[in-house]
Amino acid sequence: MSHSKFIILALTALLTATPVDAARKVKVKTPPDPYKTLKEKIDRYFVSFKPDEQRIRATFHLKTLVVNDTTRTIEVCANNNLGEQLFTSSMAEAIYQGVHKLLPDSCQDYQLTIKTNGWDLRQLVPNRLRDIKDKNRTWGHTDYHGRPWVRNVSLPYQITEGLQDRHLSIWASHGRYFNVKDSVWKWQRPPLFGTREDLFTPTIVTPYLIPMLQNAGAVVFTPRERDWQRNEYIVDNDTPETGYSETNGLQAWHNADSTGFAFHPGTYVDSENPFNAGTARMASTADSKHKSQIVWQPAITEAGNYAVYVSYHTVEKSIDDAHYTVWHQGVPTRFSVNQQMGQKTWVYLGTFYFDQGQSTRNCVTLSNVSRHHHGVVTADAVRFGGGMGNVDRGKGISGLPRCLEGARYYAQWAGMPYEVYSTKEGQDDYGDDINVRSYMTNHLAGGSVFVPDTTGLNVPIELSLAIHSDAGYAKDGKSHIGTLTVCTTTLNDSILKSGMTRLASRDLADELLYSIPADINKKYGNWVTRELYDRNYSESRCPMVPSAILETMSHQNFADMRLGQDPHFRFDLARSIYKALLRYVCTMHHKKYVVQPLTPNRLSATLTGKGTAKISWRPVYDEYEATAKPTGYVVYTAVGNNGFDNGTYVKGGSETSLVVPVEPEQVYSFRVSAVNEGGESFPSEVVSVFDVPEAQKTILVVNGFDRLASPTVVDNSFSQGFDLEEDAGVTYGRTAGWLGYQTGWEKSKIGSERRDGLGYTNDSLMGQFIAGNDFDYIRTHTLAIATARKYRVVSCSSQAIDNDDVIPEKFEMLDVILGLQRQDGYSTVPCRIMSPILREHIYMMTKKGGSLLVSGAYLGTDMQDPIDRKYLEDILKLKYGGRDLDSLQRDSINGLGIAFTFYRHLNEHHYAAHHPEILEPVYPAFSAMKYADDFSACVAYDGTDYKAVTMGFPLECIKDESKRNSIMRGLLQFLLKSQ
């Protein structure tokens, strides 16, 4: 080996040799965890812990364990899922005891703390379950003591233990929005079971929840348009030709110093604020002898119900009692508006029926009369009706009524600052729409006692609630998904703007999640209580007041929607939400509460023969609410075609009648509500009277149409869903909840959101309002009978007959309204077309020689049993010939020498008799009317013993009022000519 090679090998050996120290280095083991076994035990305890009456889908686990021997403390932190339970004191203590038992003997006297999501379990016990309330999660001495934003001063009663003068922000989820990326208007949720979440949740909030809260005395703000009305009329001082006029007294109207609302035709671009485009008016206050007045008189092109919104400015001497009067069909309803808050936006007064045309019978007035001698009244535009969306996001408008759009666009129309409704700088309307609901609430509430040290409009909103439905489905196609709530407690040091702990929001979510399933289970059974999420969601994170999100049910799950599409269930669900909010708000202020009563029933209106009418009713008691007992009633009266007045208060819960004077040859109509210290019920159906003193005959009109129902329910081995073509159901008044007809029926495709997925729905009804049951058809019939000027008219509900409150045989003629009444087999409240008692009274009428007029769309459909068919043949002298299946679906009928049309197709003006019946005469009866395809629409019996007319469609569905009246007169001449 050469010398050089030796050197190279030596160097290589030196470089690759292992150091002696490294060779001797021993690998150090991680010291054993002395609490490993304890951690495993505690984790197993959490994993095995299951709530008794709550479905928590996630598993509980131990997150961290810290044992401090110096301070002799132990802190156990579970994962956040542990906090998704509804905690009680006993549950929290049981968990503490369970974990404590697992501690080694050496730690038994250590101070143990168990936390989830940063909160001690004991802190998660809500105030509703605490004997001693946690003052840090109530308002304590913080309260608003001024006048409310809006007050109806025409109410004939006072609310003392409800939500009087409380201001709440409530909204239904989502709505149509503009997708900036795709440059197209879209819905936010999938089309399922005839609807979408965007449309479904408003059917709970708009016709039920908001009115219940208002009936309890609350002022309710909602960041989506609430009016299901496509028409809109704006009357403004900048365009006096719209119907604006002023009169000046001692103090004249003059322009305010700042900009006001002004309307321009066409569409509005992003960031355009209509409340900065015009002027406003103002005047100093005066007494009633020297008042100045403004009148906003719209030119209504289509009669109907319209929401009324006013606007004004807040100035240095603004008053808190601005006197507005809404004149609706000649009836005045007066409001006091606090102009010290809520300026330059739309302020909702109420919803009223207005006639077509332009007159002082249908207008809004404002005077400068005030209790403040040195105050200032301001005035700007007044808006009638929800209207159509008019915000163009670069590719046109949505083409839908504003109430179907997201809150982002209503906020712009309502004058909100750009930063309130466009937090995403115009690049993400979806995100904007989610955020604006909270930010609009904050902007209104800013500066109030509940949101101090913040600039805003000073409206004392103290709570916000978002109403949603959730996704998810039960694989068995039968089970319910149930109810879930969301709050956010860990933001901004867990403190709200007022300084209150965010646990107040958890208490709200807890109250809702506890109360709603409990109420539903009492009446419907098997409803699921899901999780209480404490998550970073916008609608629970952003509001500066206690807030929560309520996921009512799953719109993807048929079993949930089978109930959710039923109007009775919607009422019960909304009532449960209202009651939860009532309890929560009153607890937050340490106040007693009373639940508003239910609607009276067994209505009747009879003539006494002394120039008076007697209206009678019976209370309906809520078996689940001890406080919901009426202490009085309000009887509302309408004369002729005028609107209903503001009511007459009847004191005493046991007093169930009222005698009122009536003028001859005037139709008087009545409806009744129940009241107590907590508020007012929904109004009853309408009953009417018509007095002709010299008349020899009296007609009893009976309303047998009280049905509310979902569309036809399909639920068999292969299919599930709602068949609107078979029967579209009956909603409580008008609805905006339908998207189209279901096309996906296969149960095997459950969970799929594709076109063939279970529940998939087309959009053939998109943007349409559908009329439902208005409960005022006795009035329609009475007005028609009154045109004959020959007969007295009295009326009642079918329930009054079933309870012998009214005896039909005392009268010469019985007019039975059956409408869309039917025993459908799927509704939560059965609606038999005629009760056995009513049938017996009809039979007795024939025995005494009385006359019968019966009209409805399901008489033959429902009466299919042999005994029923025999009844139809023997008493009404007809046979059921099936539905009129005119291939052209024509809506014309000929009879009594008149050709007329009826409401056969779904529409927004009147409920539709979608499937009228063919009624074939049994000799010697004859067919008196014919459908367009020549099938019999009406059977008449001209017997020597009695006379009867039975129609296969509802008489009130005749479209033309003059023809309807003419037909009624012809029927009366036939039925009563020989008596």
Side-chain angles (χ1 to χ4, degrees):
M1 179 181 294
S2 67
H3 181 68
S4 59
K5 287 184 178 179
F6 177 79
I7 293 174
I8 291 171
L9 289 171
L11 289 171
T12 302
L14 286 170
L15 292 171
T16 59
T18 303
V20 175
D21 290 344
R24 293 176 179 176
K25 186 176 182 180
V26 178
K27 186 177 181 181
V28 179
K29 294 183 179 180
T30 302
D33 183 353
Y35 298 109
K36 179 181 179 182
T37 301
L38 178 59
K39 288 180 179 178
E40 292 174 348
K41 288 181 179 179
I42 295 176
D43 186 66
R44 286 196 298 271
Y45 173 80
F46 283 143
V47 170
S48 62
F49 188 88
K50 302 295 180 184
D52 292 334
E53 298 180 356
Q54 193 174 358
R55 181 187 295 173
I56 307 291
R57 291 165 293 178
T59 303
F60 308 150
H61 284 286
L62 174 67
K63 193 173 180 180
T64 61
L65 172 67
V66 177
V67 179
N68 191 318
D69 294 319
T70 302
T71 60
R72 302 180 70 79
T73 59
I74 298 176
E75 183 178 272
V76 174
C77 291
N79 62 350
N80 292 352
N81 301 116
L82 184 66
E84 294 171 357
Q85 302 175 86
L86 291 171
F87 275 90
T88 64
S89 295
S90 59
M91 176 189 290
E93 296 309 318
I95 295 174
Y96 262 91
Q97 293 173 15
V99 172
H100 191 273
K101 290 179 181 178
L102 301 176
L103 301 180
D105 293 341
S106 59
C107 298
Q108 283 291 313
D109 61 345
Y110 281 26
Q111 181 68 41
L112 173 64
T113 302
I114 304 176
K115 292 185 175 182
T116 176
N117 201 26
W119 298 105
D120 189 311
L121 300 191
R122 294 180 174 119
Q123 291 178 285
L124 302 185
V125 178
N127 257 354
R128 68 179 176 86
L129 297 178
R130 294 172 179 261
D131 293 330
I132 300 176
K133 306 302 181 186
D134 181 354
K135 296 180 180 179
N136 294 322
R137 55 219 275 187
T138 69
W139 289 114
H141 296 296
T142 299
D143 203 354
Y144 174 71
H145 298 290
R147 293 197 170 201
W149 194 7
V150 175
R151 175 182 287 166
N152 182 345
V153 296
S154 291
L155 292 178
Y157 59 89
Q158 285 191 332
I159 301 171
T160 57
E161 295 183 4
L163 293 169
Q164 64 275 9
D165 304 339
R166 299 294 171 198
H167 298 72
L168 312 177
S169 183
I170 309 292
W171 62 84
S173 56
H174 308 299
R176 189 81 160 175
Y177 81 105
F178 185 74
N179 186 292
V180 177
K181 180 180 178 181
D182 297 336
S183 294
V184 66
W185 287 88
K186 290 184 175 180
W187 294 106
Q188 299 187 38
R189 291 298 183 264
L192 295 170
F193 299 118
T195 188
R196 297 177 185 265
E197 181 185 354
D198 311 63
L199 303 173
F200 170 66
T201 52
T203 65
I204 301 166
V205 174
T206 302
Y208 295 117
L209 178 58
I210 289 179
M212 288 176 186
L213 296 170
Q214 291 171 333
N215 286 352
V219 178
V220 180
F221 164 74
T222 185
R224 284 182 68 179
E225 173 59 59
R226 72 179 77 198
D227 191 19
W228 289 348
Q229 170 62 259
R230 69 181 68 255
N231 296 317
E232 179 181 42
Y233 309 95
I234 295 175
V235 183
D236 184 27
N237 62 286
D238 292 300
T239 52
E241 67 274 12
T242 58
Y244 178 90
S245 62
E246 298 177 354
T247 57
N248 290 315
L250 184 63
Q251 303 291 341
W253 297 103
H254 59 277
N255 276 354
D257 295 334
S258 58
T259 58
F261 181 90
F263 172 79
H264 68 71
T267 61
Y268 283 71
V269 299
D270 196 34
S271 82
E272 186 177 2
N273 190 333
F275 279 87
N276 289 334
T279 63
R281 305 288 281 169
M282 61 189 295
S284 297
T285 57
D287 58 35
S288 58
K289 293 181 180 179
H290 304 92
K291 73 177 180 179
S292 298
Q293 184 171 271
I294 294 176
V295 179
W296 293 267
Q297 188 173 301
I300 304 290
T301 58
E302 184 178 349
N305 288 301
Y306 289 87
V308 175
Y309 299 87
V310 300
S311 61
Y312 50 84
H313 289 200
T314 298
V315 296
E316 183 178 351
K317 294 183 179 180
S318 283
I319 61 173
D320 60 4
D321 63 343
H323 292 291
Y324 288 88
T325 301
V326 179
W327 291 84
H328 46 105
Q329 294 184 290
V331 175
T333 299
R334 295 177 173 84
F335 292 88
S336 175
V337 175
N338 188 339
Q339 292 193 344
Q340 297 171 358
M341 61 178 74
Q343 70 157 342
K344 297 183 71 172
T345 189
W346 297 121
V347 181
Y348 176 75
L349 298 186
T351 298
F352 305 91
Y353 194 93
F354 293 105
D355 294 320
Q356 182 178 348
Q358 187 173 30
S359 75
T360 54
R361 283 173 47 87
N362 301 278
C363 68
V364 171
T365 65
L366 169 67
S367 76
N368 65 338
V369 175
S370 171
R371 66 191 178 105
H372 300 281
H373 300 301
H374 302 288
V376 173
V377 180
T378 64
D380 204 344
V382 172
R383 180 163 69 96
F384 302 79
M388 300 292 289
N390 61 352
V391 175
D392 186 343
R393 293 289 287 114
K395 292 289 184 178
I397 58 177
S398 72
L400 295 179
R402 187 176 288 117
C403 61
L404 303 184
E405 293 183 337
R408 185 194 194 276
Y409 315 106
Y410 177 75
Q412 179 177 348
W413 189 233
M416 293 296 105
Y418 190 67
E419 61 270 18
V420 168
Y421 67 83
S422 187
T423 55
K424 306 295 183 180
E425 299 180 348
Q427 299 303 307
D428 180 9
D429 284 20
Y430 182 92
D432 285 342
D433 185 52
I434 293 174
N435 291 334
V436 70
R437 308 163 198 166
S438 303
Y439 291 155
M440 201 172 178
T441 299
N442 293 343
H443 180 69
L444 287 169
S448 73
V449 66
F450 300 116
V451 186
D453 303 322
T454 301
T455 301
L457 301 186
N458 301 306
V459 181
I461 295 173
E462 61 180 271
L463 172 153
S464 76
L465 175 63
I467 308 293
H468 287 254
S469 59
D470 204 359
Y473 60 92
K475 293 182 179 179
D476 63 5
K478 300 178 181 179
S479 302
H480 293 292
I481 297 299
T483 299
L484 172 148
T485 57
V486 184
C487 65
T488 303
T489 67
T490 56
L491 189 74
N492 297 334
D493 297 323
S494 300
I495 299 297
L496 291 167
K497 194 66 178 178
S498 64
M500 181 192 300
T501 172
R502 280 184 168 265
L503 284 173
S505 292
R506 182 181 170 98
D507 279 4
L508 173 57
D510 177 282
E511 180 70 62
L512 291 161
L513 187 58
Y514 169 76
S515 301
I516 293 169
D519 285 345
I520 295 174
N521 274 314
K522 291 173 184 175
K523 197 164 186 178
Y524 300 94
N526 301 318
W527 196 254
V528 178
T529 304
R530 295 172 62 196
E531 298 90 346
L532 195 167
Y533 283 163
D534 194 337
R535 304 281 179 87
N536 189 14
Y537 288 9
S538 171
E539 292 171 295
S540 57
R541 176 190 74 242
C542 295
M544 296 179 179
V545 292
S547 58
I549 300 171
L550 173 65
E551 301 282 0
T552 53
M553 65 188 73
S554 173
H555 54 250
Q556 193 180 22
N557 192 57
F558 172 72
D560 284 14
M561 292 301 288
R562 181 167 181 171
L563 287 177
Q565 295 288 32
D566 188 293
H568 291 286
F569 179 85
R570 291 177 188 165
F571 175 91
D572 290 333
L573 174 61
R575 184 168 169 86
S576 184
I577 299 170
Y578 141 69
K579 291 189 298 182
L581 294 178
L582 172 68
R583 286 191 290 267
Y584 175 80
V585 170
C586 290
T587 298
M588 290 287 285
H589 292 282
H590 313 287
K591 303 284 187 181
K592 290 173 59 180
Y593 68 86
V594 170
V595 175
Q596 63 191 219
L598 294 173
T599 305
N601 66 5
R602 293 167 57 179
L603 268 290
S604 66
T606 57
L607 295 168
T608 64
K610 301 176 182 179
T612 60
K614 182 179 181 180
I615 301 90
S616 302
W617 61 89
R618 293 294 184 274
V620 174
Y621 295 107
D622 188 338
E623 60 181 309
Y624 306 117
E625 290 293 337
T627 66
K629 294 179 179 179
T631 56
Y633 302 90
V634 178
V635 178
Y636 296 93
T637 303
V639 182
N641 287 312
N642 290 337
F644 279 95
D645 66 10
N646 293 291
T648 299
Y649 180 69
V650 180
K651 185 178 180 180
S654 59
E655 187 62 48
T656 58
S657 65
L658 178 68
V659 176
V660 298
V662 294
E663 294 293 326
E665 299 193 11
Q666 283 273 23
V667 172
Y668 287 80
S669 298
F670 310 95
R671 59 189 182 194
V672 183
S673 65
V675 294
N676 61 16
E677 296 87 347
E680 182 178 11
S681 73
F682 279 27
S684 70
E685 62 186 299
V686 175
V687 290
S688 303
V689 296
F690 180 70
D691 191 15
V692 180
E694 67 275 13
Q696 300 300 310
K697 299 163 189 172
T698 303
I699 300 169
L700 172 64
V701 183
V702 178
N703 181 39
F705 176 31
D706 59 5
R707 179 176 175 236
L708 297 172
S710 76
T712 295
V713 171
V714 176
D715 189 7
N716 55 47
S717 301
F718 307 101
S719 304
Q720 280 184 332
F722 302 94
D723 189 348
L724 277 78
E725 292 183 293
E726 169 62 25
D727 184 343
V730 187
T731 57
Y732 181 70
R734 175 181 289 193
T735 185
W738 297 119
L739 174 70
Y741 296 94
Q742 184 174 328
T743 59
W745 297 92
E746 293 184 43
K747 291 175 69 173
S748 61
K749 302 293 180 62
I750 188 173
S752 171
E753 292 184 7
R754 297 180 178 179
R755 290 185 177 275
D756 62 347
L758 177 63
Y760 190 87
T761 296
N762 64 34
D763 62 359
S764 57
L765 298 175
M766 184 172 70
Q768 295 187 38
F769 302 124
I770 306 298
N773 193 343
D774 292 327
F775 294 91
D776 62 352
Y777 307 112
I778 282 179
R779 187 182 191 186
T780 301
H781 281 234
T782 303
L783 286 167
I785 296 169
T787 62
R789 302 289 178 185
K790 293 181 180 180
Y791 313 105
R792 287 185 296 267
V793 181
V794 298
S795 60
C796 69
S797 68
S798 59
Q799 297 165 332
I801 290 180
D802 289 344
N803 289 276
D804 292 330
D805 300 329
V806 178
I807 306 300
E809 295 89 294
K810 294 181 178 180
F811 308 99
E812 285 72 33
M813 177 179 154
L814 185 60
D815 176 4
V816 181
I817 301 170
L818 297 178
L820 299 182
Q821 195 81 351
R822 67 177 299 199
Q823 182 73 22
D824 53 42
Y826 53 80
S827 292
T828 57
V829 176
C831 294
R832 191 170 184 176
I833 194 163
M834 287 195 296
S835 69
I837 294 176
L838 177 56
R839 295 187 194 190
E840 179 64 21
H841 280 297
I842 290 175
Y843 170 73
M844 295 301 295
M845 282 287 291
T846 66
K847 290 300 182 184
K848 64 158 279 190
S851 296
L852 302 173
L853 173 59
V854 180
S855 64
Y858 290 113
L859 183 67
T861 302
D862 251 25
M863 299 183 68
Q864 289 291 303
D865 292 339
I867 191 172
D868 293 334
R869 292 200 300 268
K870 189 174 189 314
Y871 182 91
L872 293 178
E873 292 180 16
D874 293 346
I875 306 301
L876 298 181
K877 308 300 182 182
L878 63 87
K879 287 185 178 180
Y880 173 53
R883 293 177 173 176
D884 179 54
L885 302 177
D886 178 18
S887 60
L888 300 178
Q889 287 283 292
R890 288 170 288 186
D891 60 358
S892 60
I893 296 176
N894 280 281
L896 305 183
I898 301 173
F900 59 91
T901 57
F902 69 105
Y903 289 104
R904 181 171 188 152
H905 307 287
L906 298 179
N907 67 93
E908 61 189 65
H909 303 293
H910 195 282
Y911 79 83
H914 198 46
H915 296 295
E917 294 186 328
I918 298 170
L919 302 181
E920 298 174 345
V922 173
Y923 183 82
F926 58 93
S927 178
M929 299 180 191
K930 298 280 189 177
Y931 296 112
D933 55 6
D934 208 39
F935 284 102
S936 176
C938 173
V939 170
Y941 172 63
D942 187 13
T944 57
D945 47 355
Y946 66 94
K947 301 181 188 303
V949 172
T950 308
M951 303 166 64
F953 63 96
L955 183 142
E956 62 272 14
C957 281
I958 298 173
K959 292 181 180 180
D960 187 275
E961 181 181 3
S962 62
K963 291 186 177 182
R964 182 172 61 243
N965 295 342
S966 180
I967 288 167
M968 176 63 86
R969 290 194 299 271
L971 294 174
L972 294 176
Q973 185 174 354
F974 169 79
L975 291 168
L976 296 173
K977 63 182 177 181
S978 63
Q979 293 187 12

